Amino acid sequence: LLSCRLYCEEAKDPKRRSCQTVLAEALDIVIRSFAPILPHLAEEVFQYIPYKKDSEGVFRTGWINASSAWKKPGIEEAIEGACAMRDSFLESISGKNSLEYEVIIVIEPGLLFELTEALQAEETSSVSQLNEIMMASQTTLLSELPKETPSDANIIKGTFLINLEGGDICEQSSYKVIARPIAKAKCPRCRRYTAESSSTPCPRCLQVLAAGKGSM
């Protein structure tokens, strides 16, 4: 998830910058958390952070002060739901390379479907947050099984309980996960199976390379 965003996206792409922001915030909280018991280590790490503008030290810049903007209702549940579906997907392919597959997720209409849509606005995507969590080359999000689904398809079924507003909003939704080998070639840059041929980068990588920000 992190490596794809950090190494494959354009340098100033919002997805890459948002990843860097999360890592920076996490590092800041971790440093301040262990500073009281490991003061010298905390101070040394703090002084080597390249983007810090002040040099007062970790003990003079205050305790942990996480912004309330990080707490968005439904995001945690959306991620946890996606992780549950990813676990179902990985179990269904029995230790094989997940990037060699595309995933179809079918969620009954309801709260879980709406939350999951926040991770993937398009019906099918190879670059969405949902696809990154699934660790597949392509993910399709639907509200009902495709009509062309083979009768012998390996459909993994599961349920996920959503609990919001301290229990005021509670809903259990069912989902289905279908994994099938992807028909595309392996991209020589991002290593996902999203290219038309093994000698040509995928559309996303071609766009990054054309902007002069990426590298093979």
Side-chain angles (χ1 to χ4, degrees):
L1 177 60
L2 295 180
S3 62
C4 185
R5 285 192 178 197
L6 291 173
Y7 299 114
C8 296
E9 298 291 354
E10 186 177 344
K12 295 183 179 180
D13 188 283
K15 292 193 290 294
R16 183 176 186 273
R17 296 305 299 270
S18 66
C19 181
Q20 291 176 309
T21 300
V22 170
L23 290 175
E25 182 74 9
L27 177 61
D28 185 81
I29 291 175
V30 169
I31 292 172
R32 297 180 192 278
S33 297
F34 68 67
I37 56 175
L38 294 170
H40 298 293
L41 177 60
E43 184 61 36
E44 183 177 4
V45 174
F46 189 82
Q47 293 299 329
Y48 275 94
I49 294 178
Y51 48 82
K52 287 292 182 183
K53 300 300 182 182
D54 56 72
S55 58
E56 294 183 359
V58 67
F59 292 99
R60 294 188 178 184
T61 54
W63 183 237
I64 298 170
N65 186 27
S67 171
S68 59
W70 291 100
K71 185 62 177 178
K72 294 185 178 180
I75 293 298
E76 181 179 355
E77 288 73 18
I79 298 295
E80 290 179 349
C83 288
M85 290 179 272
R86 178 194 61 197
D87 292 343
S88 297
F89 159 56
L90 295 178
E91 289 175 6
S92 72
I93 61 175
S94 185
K96 297 178 181 177
N97 183 3
S98 62
L99 291 177
E100 296 180 358
Y101 290 82
E102 61 175 321
V103 183
I104 299 175
I105 298 174
V106 181
I107 306 175
E108 61 183 11
L111 188 54
L112 179 59
F113 184 85
E114 293 175 5
L115 291 176
T116 308
E117 276 189 314
L119 303 176
Q120 179 168 300
E122 309 89 349
E123 182 176 285
T124 299
S125 177
S126 61
V127 297
S128 68
Q129 294 181 68
L130 178 60
N131 187 66
E132 290 178 343
I133 294 171
M134 295 304 294
M135 300 168 61
S137 279
Q138 180 174 286
T139 298
T140 298
L141 177 62
L142 303 170
S143 59
E144 58 182 16
L145 278 174
K147 295 180 180 180
E148 65 273 13
T149 303
S151 57
D152 60 345
N154 183 21
I155 302 176
I156 308 299
K157 299 180 180 180
T159 59
F160 185 76
L161 178 64
I162 295 176
N163 196 327
L164 293 173
E165 305 296 335
D168 292 339
I169 301 176
C170 190
E171 181 178 299
Q172 182 164 305
S173 301
S174 63
Y175 63 82
K176 301 179 180 70
V177 176
I178 305 172
R180 58 188 186 189
I182 195 163
K184 295 186 178 180
K186 184 178 182 179
C187 173
R189 183 174 182 272
C190 68
R191 308 300 180 186
R192 289 187 176 182
Y193 289 77
T194 51
E196 296 302 321
S197 71
S198 58
S199 60
T200 305
C202 66
R204 185 271 300 274
C205 288
L206 284 174
Q207 182 178 357
V208 174
L209 291 169
K213 302 295 183 179
S215 59
M216 292 293 289

